[in-house]
Amino acid sequence: MAVNLQQDTIVARATPAGRGGVGIIRISGTAAGDIAAALLGRLPKPRYATYSRFRDADGTSLDSGIALWFPGPHSFTGEDVLEIQGHGGAVVIDLLLERITALGARLAEPGEFSKRAFLNDKLDLTQAEAIVDLIDSGSRVAARAAQRSLQGEFSHAVMQLNDRITELRVHVEAAIDFPDEDIDFLSDSGLLERVSVVEKAFSELTRSAREGCLLREGATLVLAGKPNAGKSSLLNALSGYSAAIVTDVPGTTRDVIKEHIDIDGLPLSIIDTAGLRTSADVVEQEGVRRTHEQLRQADLAILVIDVNNPEEAVELIADMPADLQIIKVLNKCDLINRQPGLSEDGSAIYVSALTGAGLGDLRSLLKQRLGYLPSESGSITARRRHLVILAAALSAFQDGRARLAEGSGELMADDLLRSQNALAEITGEFSSDDLLGEIFSNFCIGK
Ligand SMILES: Nc1nc2c(ncn2[C@@H]2O[C@H](COP(=O)(O)OP(=O)(O)OP(=O)(O)O)[C@@H](O)[C@H]2O)c(=O)[nH]1
Ligand SMILES: [Mg+2]
């Protein structure tokens, strides 16, 4: 493997700042061996846990603990790496960091170890991104999804798609190279079949990337409706505790109230708002203004309607942003003795915030509308960056398909290549310094 050695040797604490049983310091780079020799008195046996004193310049002990020596390229970064595990106190770690920097290392920037791992081909970009996602994951499902991407499942799917496009390109290029053959390669039905296989792969990958993105970033839902429809009751029922005040006085809620919940690992911010009506009360007017503001930023609105006044919905919907996804919830179904769940035409869902009836159906509908339908094999973690690239790659591919219809093999091959080049940005085969800076600066120090 080509190891791309960086000039500097870097050092950072890998465990969080503050008190802890163990404090870990990592050193990576060409000087790591010399630093080990000076700090430990000798180079430890590679990949063995070696108990050692950590010495100051005058030979006295700064601390003692375990040293691990990973000569490159068989290390996380691909460079020579020394890891020392001492006591987890702020001062003792500082003393060690001072000693190690005096021996020639410099303090690492956030994500610099992972960046070196990427530059040395130890990780691709989706795997590096998955490290942060794993550390930051807010639910078990998100942690498992990050783990899958870290194991390379996402990159594997991208590479498979890429291989399929390559096969197609080889076929098209053969048609260009041998125009006089009897067989007309371009009108071959096998070719069209391949095109549709690639398109299917694109849509499957986009679906799982979108879901992975949702799992990481979550979605914002706004509860809106007339006063007394039961918005605050629904917020309380979904969040599982009495977050907002509920009374039978219309206009109870005036402020925006935000709660975080998760549905099968999908993180959601639910926002309760002031009931929509014209009011002379300045406080309520401000509340209503804020409701509209929240609706403009929402991923989805839950329109809460009192089941006894279903006609309210028409006017309310007319007042909402045109491109906003809306779920119509007919609340208080306990009052009319109606079965909870989806309405016959599927356009609304009956629930009772009071008894909790129909909330399971509402949760399922939310998942479905937000595009969160985890597959049996489990989700991967992904980012908006990936979605943007997938869309660009698909668009180039579809340009290619149009060329095929025009019978132009050369132009189609160009478009296919363009599509592949776009895909390469996901795994980082092609990546700009700006992008790398943006990705790795979001890491923690020491990772
Ligand atoms: N029977 C019944 N009553 C409900 C249900 N949901 C809410 N209510 C009652 O309806 C009244 C209004 O409920 P809230 O949750 O405060 O309604 P809101 O939409 O937040 O009202 P504002 O904050 O004033 O806009 C309260 O008396 C609730 O107990 C329900 O499912 N069934
Ligand atoms: Mg309320």
Side-chain angles (χ1 to χ4, degrees):
M1 186 191 324
V3 172
N4 178 1
L5 289 175
Q6 307 291 301
Q7 289 296 320
D8 307 351
T9 296
I10 52 172
V11 61
R13 60 178 302 160
T15 39
R19 279 180 92 218
V22 179
I24 299 178
I25 292 177
R26 264 179 166 178
I27 302 153
S28 178
T30 43
D34 292 342
I35 293 173
L39 189 68
L40 312 170
R42 72 201 146 105
L43 209 53
K45 190 172 169 188
R47 294 176 296 281
Y48 271 77
T50 310
Y51 181 74
S52 183
R53 282 198 305 124
F54 308 149
R55 295 148 213 254
D56 204 351
D58 61 6
T60 57
S61 294
L62 289 167
D63 194 6
S64 55
I66 301 294
L68 293 160
W69 170 239
F70 302 100
H74 305 295
S75 67
F76 174 70
T77 57
E79 303 173 330
D80 288 346
V81 170
L82 175 70
E83 192 175 298
I84 57 171
Q85 308 184 350
H87 295 92
V91 176
V92 66
I93 295 273
D94 275 352
L95 284 171
L96 284 166
L97 287 175
E98 254 170 49
R99 167 82 170 124
I100 294 162
T101 47
L103 287 168
R106 73 160 166 80
L107 294 176
E109 288 162 19
E112 207 172 358
F113 290 91
S114 303
K115 187 174 180 181
R116 289 184 177 198
F118 167 71
L119 293 173
N120 291 330
D121 288 335
K122 288 283 174 175
L123 295 169
D124 69 31
L125 215 43
T126 62
Q127 290 174 309
E129 288 169 309
I131 292 177
V132 187
D133 294 349
L134 180 60
I135 292 173
D136 291 344
S137 52
S139 70
R140 286 156 187 254
V141 183
R144 284 183 181 274
Q147 190 57 248
R148 280 192 199 92
S149 288
L150 184 55
Q151 298 299 320
E153 274 192 36
F154 188 20
S155 334
H156 183 69
V158 173
M159 282 186 272
Q160 246 179 358
L161 175 58
N162 192 40
D163 288 347
R164 294 224 156 98
I165 304 177
T166 303
E167 281 167 25
L168 194 60
R169 233 184 58 216
V170 167
H171 198 91
V172 172
E173 277 164 7
I176 305 167
D177 293 341
F178 306 103
D180 300 331
E181 298 281 316
D182 286 344
I183 315 153
D184 182 355
F185 281 105
L186 288 183
S187 53
D188 179 355
S189 68
L191 190 60
L192 285 175
E193 229 164 75
R194 281 193 185 165
V195 168
S196 78
V197 167
V198 171
E199 278 178 338
K200 243 203 197 135
F202 259 117
S203 75
E204 177 50 29
L205 191 57
T206 306
R207 190 200 62 74
S208 50
R210 188 171 295 131
E211 190 181 284
C213 205
L214 202 58
L215 196 55
R216 209 174 76 83
E217 296 181 1
T220 302
L221 312 182
V222 171
L223 294 162
K226 292 275 183 198
N228 259 2
K231 301 176 293 300
S232 302
S233 302
L234 192 55
L235 174 78
N236 293 348
L238 288 170
S239 60
Y241 83 111
S242 177
I245 300 173
V246 168
T247 73
D248 57 5
V249 180
T252 301
T253 308
R254 289 150 166 229
D255 261 330
V256 163
I257 301 172
K258 199 182 234 183
E259 283 301 317
H260 296 283
I261 64 162
D262 89 77
I263 303 181
D264 296 346
L266 170 64
L268 297 176
S269 289
I270 305 193
I271 297 176
D272 182 23
T273 60
L276 295 164
R277 69 169 171 185
T278 332
S279 164
D281 182 327
V282 282
V283 182
E284 204 176 339
Q285 280 172 4
E286 176 58 18
V288 170
R289 193 192 64 75
R290 291 182 187 206
T291 303
H292 285 294
E293 190 177 273
Q294 292 300 326
L295 285 168
R296 280 194 292 278
Q297 297 162 13
D299 294 307
L300 191 150
I302 299 183
L303 188 56
V304 186
I305 300 151
D306 188 323
V307 80
N308 287 309
N309 304 306
E311 67 287 350
E312 290 172 358
V314 181
E315 175 202 339
L316 286 168
I317 289 174
D319 228 19
M320 300 218 166
D323 54 355
L324 181 61
Q325 269 214 77
I326 298 171
I327 290 184
K328 256 197 317 189
V329 169
L330 293 161
N331 186 32
K332 310 193 186 180
C333 73
D334 56 294
L335 292 180
I336 60 160
N337 207 10
R338 139 101 225 190
Q339 279 286 100
L342 269 188
S343 63
E344 287 70 26
D345 63 359
S347 68
I349 182 159
Y350 288 86
V351 306
S352 168
L354 191 70
T355 67
L359 294 185
D361 300 281
L362 176 59
R363 288 191 189 96
S364 307
L365 185 63
L366 282 171
K367 285 196 293 182
Q368 185 197 329
R369 285 290 198 88
L370 290 167
Y372 181 70
L373 304 160
S375 58
E376 284 289 302
S377 56
S379 315
I380 50 157
T381 180
R383 302 169 172 223
R384 271 167 213 264
R385 170 182 99 78
H386 303 138
L387 290 177
V388 171
I389 295 172
L390 279 171
L394 176 62
S395 148
F397 183 80
Q398 282 170 335
D399 289 349
R401 194 189 51 183
R403 303 295 191 188
L404 178 63
E406 292 161 12
S408 171
E410 277 98 345
L411 293 176
M412 179 179 188
D414 283 352
D415 288 331
L416 296 185
L417 195 59
R418 213 154 46 80
S419 178
Q420 290 185 298
N421 287 343
L423 284 179
E425 288 176 42
I426 294 187
T427 50
E429 236 172 289
F430 289 146
S431 54
S432 68
D433 285 349
D434 284 355
L435 174 68
L436 296 186
E438 196 185 305
I439 290 173
F440 290 104
S441 63
N442 286 317
F443 278 57
C444 6
I445 301 251
K447 190 64 235 182

